Amino acid sequence: NEINSARREFLHLLSGIGFVNKKVAGTLDAAHWLTSDMNKNSKNWPVIHAVVCAGLSPNYARLDRNGSTPFLYQEKERISFHSSSINASKKKFRSDEEWVVFHEKFATPGRTSVSRCCFISPLPLLLFAQSVTVEHTERLVVVDDWMKVPMPAQTSVTLDELRRHLDGLLQRLVQDTDSVDKNLLNSIAEILD
């Protein structure tokens, strides 16, 4: 019941800001929710991670594998996976598991931890972080003034352009749902996948 209530509330909020058509939102029930066009990316993990990344900005951290115990760093602050996190028991991390988005961090004496987190690719960081600076000569993109993502200059310029278009698209979507190019939204989902 709580999940269904939260789902209805979330749908109401999305409808209120223009992400979901109000008429469609009013007619959806649990039986039609799973087959709805609005739910077409429900199993597309890269898209889901990107949405989580956008929603939890600026709660990002970088995994540092140096040493016997992996640690996370948010800027210069050292963070640990809390023992209740599924990531705390991992012995090895894949090479693409470098960036983490987390819900909240909490501190105990001598330790700051995160428990609810997921690994994300650099692409959602580049698209949804608060600020992105392209450093052409260093072949680097600096996200939120501390996260460094190596990238060829031409690719970073293209991503910066995509980011500006995405920001404009989201602004238009909030202001007027009828003016949004749905093909562009589908294209962004394909890029993230």
Side-chain angles (χ1 to χ4, degrees):
N1 285 335
E2 286 182 39
I3 290 172
N4 281 333
S5 176
R7 183 183 293 160
R8 282 191 300 276
E9 178 65 21
F10 187 57
L11 185 61
H12 175 72
L13 291 170
L14 290 174
S15 174
I17 61 172
F19 276 95
V20 176
N21 182 297
K22 289 182 182 183
K23 290 179 185 175
V24 173
T27 62
L28 277 182
D29 59 16
H32 295 98
W33 178 257
L34 294 176
T35 59
S36 167
D37 187 46
M38 292 177 290
N39 205 33
K40 68 182 175 186
N41 286 305
S42 65
K43 294 190 175 26
N44 186 336
W45 291 110
V47 170
I48 291 169
H49 287 170
V51 169
V52 170
C53 177
L56 294 178
S57 175
N59 292 348
Y60 307 124
R62 182 184 56 80
L63 178 68
D64 184 354
R65 294 179 187 85
N66 297 331
S68 59
T69 305
F71 284 98
L72 299 170
Y73 285 90
Q74 186 181 36
E75 295 189 54
K76 295 180 182 179
E77 180 183 15
R78 186 167 143 171
I79 304 171
S80 302
F81 289 115
H82 189 270
S83 59
S84 66
S85 171
I86 192 167
N87 293 311
S89 63
K90 288 178 80 169
K91 302 293 183 213
K92 291 185 178 183
F93 293 89
R94 296 188 325 255
S95 61
D96 65 340
E97 293 179 322
E98 180 178 6
W99 300 103
V100 174
V101 61
F102 58 89
H103 180 254
E104 62 186 354
K105 61 183 175 180
F106 49 94
T108 57
R111 184 176 175 145
T112 303
S113 302
V114 293
S115 60
R116 291 177 283 175
C117 57
C118 70
F119 285 95
I120 56 171
S121 75
L123 185 56
L125 283 175
L126 298 167
L127 291 176
F128 301 113
Q130 293 177 355
S131 70
V132 172
T133 304
V134 177
E135 296 184 0
H136 299 281
T137 55
E138 289 82 12
R139 300 173 57 91
L140 201 64
V141 177
V142 180
V143 181
D144 288 350
D145 299 324
W146 71 274
M147 295 176 277
K148 296 179 179 179
V149 179
M151 185 174 296
Q154 187 173 2
T155 305
S156 62
V157 168
T158 302
L159 277 173
D160 193 41
E161 176 113 0
L162 179 60
R163 177 184 163 88
R164 279 187 268 124
H165 283 297
L166 182 60
D167 284 346
L169 172 73
L170 292 173
Q171 287 294 327
R172 286 192 311 274
L173 182 59
V174 169
Q175 294 168 357
D176 179 16
T177 57
D178 295 329
S179 68
V180 175
D181 182 357
K182 301 293 184 190
N183 291 327
L184 183 57
L185 283 176
N186 292 332
S187 297
I188 291 168
E190 287 179 25
I191 289 169
L192 292 169
D193 193 18

